[in-house]
Amino acid sequence: MNVGTDPQAGALAGIRVIDAATLFAGPMAAMHLGDNGAEVIKVEHPTRPDPARTHGVAKDGVNLWWKTLGRNKQTVTANLSSPGGREVFLKLAETADVVIENFRPGTLERWGLGWDELRARNPRLVLARVSGFGQVGPYRTRPGFGTLAEAMSGFAAMTGEPDGPPTLPPFGLADGVASLATAFAIMVALRAREQTGEGQVVDIAIIEPILAMLGPQITRWDQLHTVQPRTGNRTTNNAPRNTYRTSDGQWVAVSTSAQSIAERVMRLVGRPELIDEPWFATGRERAQHADILDEAVGSWIALHSRDEVIAAFEAAEAAVAPIYDAEDISRDPQFQALGTLHRIDDDELGSMTMQGPLFRLSDAAGVIAFTGRAHSQDTDAVLGEMGYSAEEISRLREAGAV
């Protein structure tokens, strides 16, 4: 799917966001807002760009992750610890609706760019502060990354095989969850501004949003003093629920969260007698007999190709999905029908495909206007719009301020 070129074509047109964050949670929140029409200005250090520009794989020396994370963002440089860069940032904040930052708590204050200074310049500003551990508490000044949140939230403790170590995800899961929470919190704060006329501070601790996604583990501990164990691909809530290998060496995932689905699966795989077992009546009891159910499902699936398994489950109205990699996703007709993947023209690499906005609106669809841009590509243009002359910009650049 190709997309339009109007960066202000979404529901958030007219909202200006200053993305002064680095790596993933904050910049990804800005990406979500930009996908839906917000004008996003990415502010980076003149000589130390966002490290995300060097994460992951590259093609011909061009980082691929940045092409997605930096999409729909104008790129500006400013050394916020210098007088000139500080003033550039304050002038940007004067024109903005939202500033997103992820410096360690106290850093902006040390530079004279804390909430008091920003609010004095722009009382309607929403300042989203994204950090590993939040703005208060004994860990507030520690370096914080998504990996630490995945560890501290309980995610790693409940992930992995029962006899194996705690397991971390191979991607920025906690950062991604925090980015959604940040974007949502910003929209709540902007809605509150409509009622009060005043901006406010959003405090996002990356350790919290992922904790909120992990179910009732806290309540379970409070009420039962038990913790959720590692169960691999199984769950303690229902069975069969696992991944199974097909006769052609592919893999599928089966879920039976609903009792009716579990019964359909048993009939499909030729084991209807299991439905009459007293323990089959609830998901929790079925999970206690997962070995029996996995053998029944797994042995049937092993006799059929992936396409045959998918077709049979679909005919039986039972829940199954193929285990996909990126190549599979790019060819799948459901993703194609949804328009999930967008093909974009890029100045450096030509045409490229990436996942699009998270959702569709019937009257204000999201837009990817352009891919991630070069470091400082838009500094002169943005500062010029703010009233800086070419000579002033040159002097700021010579001083290392931009």
Side-chain angles (χ1 to χ4, degrees):
M1 174 180 178
N2 289 302
V3 298
T5 58
D6 183 1
Q8 295 286 285
L12 299 183
I15 298 295
R16 173 175 270 198
V17 178
I18 309 302
D19 173 11
T22 58
L23 292 172
F24 305 115
M28 193 175 293
M31 182 197 77
H32 295 317
L33 299 176
D35 283 352
N36 288 283
E39 178 192 9
V40 181
I41 298 175
K42 173 75 176 179
V43 178
E44 300 172 86
H45 191 278
T47 61
R48 297 191 299 275
D50 188 334
R53 289 181 179 271
T54 61
H55 273 59
V57 297
K59 178 183 178 182
D60 299 333
V62 178
N63 180 266
L64 298 181
W65 202 338
W66 174 253
K67 290 300 181 181
T68 297
L69 189 64
R71 70 193 189 196
N72 292 333
K73 300 179 184 182
Q74 301 174 75
T75 54
V76 171
T77 53
N79 181 353
L80 306 189
S81 65
S82 71
R86 174 182 180 274
E87 186 58 30
V88 165
F89 192 76
L90 286 171
K91 286 186 175 181
L92 279 172
E94 287 178 5
T95 70
D97 299 281
V98 179
V99 168
I100 303 175
E101 65 94 6
N102 73 331
F103 299 102
R104 291 196 204 182
T107 301
L108 283 187
E109 286 73 12
R110 189 170 69 250
W111 293 338
L113 292 170
W115 175 235
D116 290 342
E117 290 83 2
L118 294 173
R119 181 172 53 182
R121 292 288 188 106
N122 183 357
R124 290 176 55 81
L125 183 70
V126 171
L127 174 61
R129 315 197 74 167
V130 185
S131 61
F133 303 101
Q135 299 297 308
V136 299
Y139 304 160
R140 61 188 292 270
T141 60
R142 290 183 182 180
F145 299 101
T147 298
L148 308 188
E150 290 146 10
M152 291 182 62
S153 64
F155 173 86
M158 66 175 67
T159 304
E161 295 298 327
D163 57 351
T167 302
L168 297 168
F171 64 99
L173 175 62
D175 283 295
V177 175
S179 78
L180 296 172
T182 302
F184 174 59
I186 286 169
M187 298 310 301
V188 171
L190 289 174
R191 173 65 176 131
R193 189 180 70 174
E194 293 179 4
Q195 300 168 321
T196 67
E198 298 288 327
Q200 60 182 298
V201 176
V202 170
D203 180 7
I204 295 286
I206 298 175
I207 58 175
E208 289 185 303
I210 187 172
L211 174 60
M213 299 295 105
L214 294 178
Q217 60 166 333
I218 300 301
T219 305
R220 172 178 175 164
W221 170 253
D222 175 71
Q223 295 297 305
L224 302 175
H225 288 284
T226 63
V227 297
Q228 183 169 330
R230 289 192 289 282
T231 56
N233 289 327
R234 291 176 173 177
T235 173
T236 58
N237 299 320
N238 65 80
R241 191 266 199 179
N242 213 323
T243 60
Y244 307 92
R245 193 167 189 173
T246 61
S247 65
D248 53 350
Q250 303 296 313
W251 291 85
V252 296
V254 172
S255 177
T256 57
S257 295
Q259 180 70 21
S260 60
I261 299 293
E263 293 175 6
R264 290 172 195 165
V265 170
M266 289 302 103
R267 294 189 184 101
L268 171 62
V269 302
R271 298 295 300 275
E273 75 279 1
L274 293 175
I275 299 172
D276 297 326
E277 294 286 350
W279 49 261
F280 198 87
T282 70
R284 186 182 303 110
E285 289 182 286
R286 292 201 310 274
Q288 295 171 8
H289 296 79
D291 287 342
I292 297 172
L293 296 173
D294 274 345
E295 190 281 328
V297 175
S299 61
W300 183 89
I301 287 177
L303 298 175
H304 300 82
S305 70
R306 185 174 77 177
D307 288 346
E308 291 171 342
V309 171
I310 298 296
F313 268 72
E314 184 174 356
E317 298 185 356
V320 69
I323 304 294
Y324 274 174
D325 60 19
E327 181 179 1
D328 297 316
I329 293 168
S330 69
R331 297 175 176 176
D332 183 84
Q334 182 62 32
F335 285 119
Q336 292 173 6
L338 292 170
T340 304
L341 306 184
H342 291 219
R343 193 150 191 86
I344 316 294
D345 291 329
D346 178 74
D347 292 341
E348 295 177 286
L349 297 176
S351 182
M352 61 170 51
T353 301
M354 62 181 64
Q355 60 269 40
L358 293 173
F359 50 83
R360 289 157 298 283
L361 299 178
S362 60
D363 296 323
V367 169
I368 302 175
F370 49 84
T371 59
R373 294 161 76 81
H375 182 236
S376 195
Q377 183 169 339
D378 303 295
T379 297
D380 287 19
V382 172
L383 267 61
E385 292 172 1
M386 292 165 56
Y388 284 90
S389 68
E391 292 77 15
E392 289 172 321
I393 296 172
S394 179
R395 286 196 294 271
L396 286 170
R397 187 167 280 119
E398 290 174 0
V402 300

